Each structure stands twice: as C-alpha cells, then as structure tokens.
C-alpha cells in the first residue's frame, strides 16, 4: 500500500528558525542513530518514520556511521525515500555527518577534505539523493587545520551537495573559529549539534550555547534523554537489551550511578506535577532556552515516538520548575564533554 501523508501534518508541530538563518526545524526532530540499522525491517521503520512525518516531524538526522553496521541507517532511509517518501522530499530536511571512522586507512576518519568529500558522496549514494539539506562536521579534529575542515564544508555547499552546513560537539573556542572561517568563505554556520540534557550541561558550562546565540547559530540537542537515563527506565531495573548491558557501548558507566538514578526519581515527581512523562519533561527542559532550535530524539518503538511527541502539549517551564530541576540534578551532573 502506497504511503500517503496525513493532510493535517502541520497542524500541531511547532517550528523554530535555526539561528539567524531561514531554515526552520520542528522542535522535535528524529535521529536514526542506533535504532535504524541492519536489524530494523522495512515495515517497522516505515511505521515510525511515517507516523513522525504525519505529526509534522520534517527533519530526519543521520550520519555516515549510523547503524550498526555503519552506513545501514542511510541505506534504510534511502529505501524509505525511494518507496514512500519521494513525493514529500521537498517538505523534508535530511541531514548527515562525517568525522568518525568509516573505513580503514588515513582517509577514512577525521576532518580532512578528502575524507569529508568522499564520505558525503557515499552518503548521497546510499540515500539516493542529489543533495542533503544539512552536512555536518561530526567532530572537531585537532590533527587537521580547521581551515581545511571548514573548506570542505564550504565546498559541499558550493557544489550543491549540501544546502546548509553545521558542526557537532565543537567546544566554544573551536565553534567561534569555525564560524569565522566559514564566514570569510561566504558560508554560514547554520547549526550546532551537541549532546545536552538536564544531567549533561557541558554545552552551558563551556559557554558554547551563549556563543551560538551571539553568532546566530542554531542549536539542536542530541541525547536530550541522556541515552534513556532520563526516561526512568534504568530506575526500574530495565537493563536487559539496553545500552547499559554493553560495557564498551556509548552509555558511560557513571550515567547510571546511584546519585544519577536518585536524581531521576526526584525529576519524576516534577514530571507528574506537570502531567508529563519523564521523557516529556526532559525535552521541555532542553527546549526552554531561546538558542535551542530543536531536540533530536531517538526511538525504538512507535509508543516511544508518541510519548516524545507528547511534549508539544506542555513546552513551557516556570522559573520555579526550572529551579526545582536544578536542585534535583545538582549532585548528578555528568558534564560529558566531547571525546574524540
């Protein structure tokens, strides 16, 4: 059966401009990291992606290494584009990134022009696209001159392979320098994608969020639930089948220490008082700041997606609620700064 999107898809979603650009993103964007790899079948993927688009989620965020295995998320999304989403391509923002190891040897990792250029070409091929809407430098690479990395981003725009460019996990100093270099090349730094949550505030502590506001760079937060910790599932002992089971996985051990889980219990009381789930409280908090363009969610099931989208019913936090959240999380801060 051919997919046809809901005609009411723009009725409830809110959209915000990315910094000083003309690019608007939904306040909730969908990321395909870890949950849309080789083990995801087409029907279940389309169920989630279709429901998201029907709800006004127009932004789908990928990277060259998303899977597992690496590249499989882009391949799956490419199938969805070809079979169901093609008529709606001009209503969608598709982003991808390059910066982490993708293939062996000296040209498959980092911020070099050869790697970034080749990776973007490969991403476009996997997704069956002529261009992406946003292309990111996925990480700062201290071994490559920033002029070269930003030059590769500018080249992507000039070649028509990307409409906008952004950076991910860059600290304040490197954010300002990237902005300066791109501006001299006549290209805007449209967006910054950092990890950011109630218990991971490095982006605030580093003053990078203030720099983005000052420079007119939009911000889209990834891991606003601290990889599920702020959903409360680990407080219920739900470790099996989660990131907590893998000692070499992306979830750091201190994210589920008793001090953190105690803070989550306190936050759950605040969520209940607002008539929200823990997930919705976490998203409301991330989106409270004027610099924030969007919160990037990752889901495994349709039920999780619906829970996330419920944040649209109650986005505003009072000063008293923000103070209560600060008090509840004071001893649970992780300050997970970027690691390259």
């Amino acid at each position: 059966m051919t997919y046809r999107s809901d005609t009411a898809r723009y009725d409830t979603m809110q959209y915000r401009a990315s910094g000083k650009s003309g690019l608007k993103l939904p306040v909730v964007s969908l990321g395909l990291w870890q949950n849309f790899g080789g083990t995801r079948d087409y029907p279940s993927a389309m169920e989630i992606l279709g429901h998201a688009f029907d709800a006004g989620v127009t932004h789908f965020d990928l990277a060259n290494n998303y899977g597992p295995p690496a590249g499989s998320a882009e391949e799956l999304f490419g199938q969805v584009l070809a079979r169901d989403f093609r008529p709606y391509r001009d209503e969608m923002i598709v982003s991808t990134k390059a910066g982490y190891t993708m293939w062996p040897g000296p040209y498959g990792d980092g911020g070099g022009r050869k790697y970034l250029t080749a990776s973007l070409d490969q991403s476009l091929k996997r997704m069956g696209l002529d261009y992406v809407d946003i292309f990111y430098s996925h990480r700062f690479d201290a071994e490559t001159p920033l002029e070269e990395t930003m030059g590769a981003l500018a080249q992507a725009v000039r070649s028509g392979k990307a409409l906008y460019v952004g950076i991910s996990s860059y600290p304040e100093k490197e954010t300002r320098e990237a902005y300066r270099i791109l501006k001299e090349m006549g290209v805007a730094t449209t967006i910054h994608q950092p990890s950011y949550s109630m218990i991971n505030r490095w982006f605030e502590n580093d003053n990078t969020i203030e720099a983005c506001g000052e420079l007119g760079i939009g911000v889209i937060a990834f891991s606003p639930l601290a990889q599920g910790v702020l959903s409360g599932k680990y407080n219920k002992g739900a470790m099996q089948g989660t990131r907590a089971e893998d000692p070499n996985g992306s979830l750091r051990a201190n994210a589920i220490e008793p001090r953190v889980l105690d803070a989550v219990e306190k936050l759950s009381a605040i969520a209940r008082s607002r008539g929200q789930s823990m997930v919705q409280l976490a998203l409301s908090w991330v989106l409270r700041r004027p610099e924030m363009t969007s919160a990037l969610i990752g889901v495994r099931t349709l039920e999780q997606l619906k829970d996330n989208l419920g944040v649209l019913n109650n986005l505003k936090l009072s000063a008293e609620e923000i103070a209560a959240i600060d008090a509840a999380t004071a001893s649970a801060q992780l300050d997970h700064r970027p690691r390259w």
Side-chain angles (χ1 to χ4, degrees):
M1 183 176 178
T2 302
Y3 167 76
R4 292 183 180 178
S5 187
D6 192 329
T7 57
R9 59 187 173 273
Y10 297 117
D11 289 358
T12 58
M13 181 57 70
Q14 298 180 32
Y15 300 86
R16 296 179 182 178
S18 183
K20 294 179 181 178
S21 77
L23 175 64
K24 292 182 179 180
L25 297 180
V27 293
V28 177
S29 298
L30 183 60
L32 276 65
W33 179 44
Q34 294 191 334
N35 294 316
F36 286 82
T39 59
R40 171 73 70 176
D41 60 45
Y42 190 94
S44 67
M46 189 58 215
E47 179 183 47
I48 293 171
L49 294 169
H51 185 91
F53 188 62
D54 285 343
V57 178
T58 53
H59 179 210
F60 300 95
D61 180 80
L62 300 105
N64 58 355
N65 63 340
Y66 285 2
S72 59
E74 289 182 330
E75 290 173 351
L76 179 57
F77 190 70
Q79 294 173 31
V80 172
L81 277 170
R83 292 170 56 177
D84 288 295
F85 275 177
R86 185 64 62 183
Y88 307 100
R89 171 64 182 100
D90 291 338
E91 297 182 45
M92 295 179 176
I93 299 298
V94 180
S95 61
T96 195
K97 317 174 194 73
Y100 291 100
T101 301
M102 191 61 188
W103 59 84
Y107 318 119
D109 186 17
R113 182 187 298 269
K114 180 173 175 61
Y115 168 56
L116 294 180
T117 302
S119 180
L120 178 54
D121 285 344
Q122 291 180 21
S123 291
L124 292 174
K125 184 177 180 180
R126 281 190 288 267
M127 291 188 283
L129 293 173
D130 296 323
Y131 70 93
V132 290
D133 298 279
I134 306 170
F135 182 49
Y136 289 90
S137 167
H138 207 166
R139 68 177 181 95
F140 171 66
D141 176 13
E143 297 182 356
T144 300
L146 202 50
E147 288 81 3
E148 179 174 342
T149 303
M150 295 304 107
L153 295 186
Q155 177 183 327
V157 172
R158 293 179 185 135
S159 67
K161 295 178 181 179
L163 300 185
Y164 302 93
V165 292
I167 55 179
S168 180
S169 300
Y170 276 49
E172 181 192 9
K173 178 183 176 182
E174 287 74 18
T175 294
R176 291 184 179 276
E177 188 66 2
Y179 170 88
R180 181 192 66 78
I181 294 168
L182 279 173
K183 186 176 181 180
E184 290 178 355
M185 294 178 177
V187 175
T189 309
T190 301
I191 195 162
H192 192 309
Q193 186 178 133
S195 61
Y196 181 52
S197 72
M198 291 188 285
I199 57 174
N200 179 23
R201 306 189 188 193
W202 79 267
F203 199 60
E204 288 183 355
N205 299 336
D206 188 59
N207 296 317
T208 312
I209 193 167
E210 285 81 5
C212 287
E214 173 193 332
L215 299 172
I217 302 171
V219 181
I220 178 170
F222 75 86
S223 293
L225 306 183
Q227 294 189 276
V229 174
L230 291 173
S231 71
K233 66 181 180 181
Y234 296 116
N235 290 60
K236 301 171 185 176
M239 303 293 180
Q240 188 172 0
T242 70
R243 298 183 181 102
E245 272 196 318
D246 183 1
N248 300 312
S250 57
L251 184 67
R252 302 186 194 184
N254 67 347
I256 51 175
E257 289 177 349
R259 65 186 178 93
V260 176
L261 299 183
D262 287 346
V264 172
E265 285 292 340
K266 297 173 184 176
L267 291 170
S268 67
I270 299 173
R272 286 194 299 272
S273 72
R274 288 170 49 81
Q276 284 185 315
S277 68
M278 276 290 298
V279 165
Q280 293 161 10
L281 176 66
L283 295 176
S284 297
W285 185 89
V286 164
L287 291 165
R288 81 200 186 285
R289 292 191 60 133
E291 301 93 342
M292 298 302 301
T293 307
S294 183
L296 190 58
I297 64 169
V299 300
R300 293 191 310 277
T301 67
L302 182 60
E303 290 69 30
Q304 289 177 344
L305 174 61
K306 291 177 179 179
D307 186 14
N308 279 262
L309 292 173
V311 71
L312 296 169
N313 298 321
N314 191 8
L315 273 171
K316 293 185 178 180
L317 287 164
S318 69
E320 292 76 17
E321 288 170 329
I322 292 172
I325 291 169
D326 289 344
T329 59
S331 62
Q333 291 301 312
L334 302 176
D335 199 29
H336 281 172
R337 295 174 184 271
R339 53 184 183 184
W340 303 300

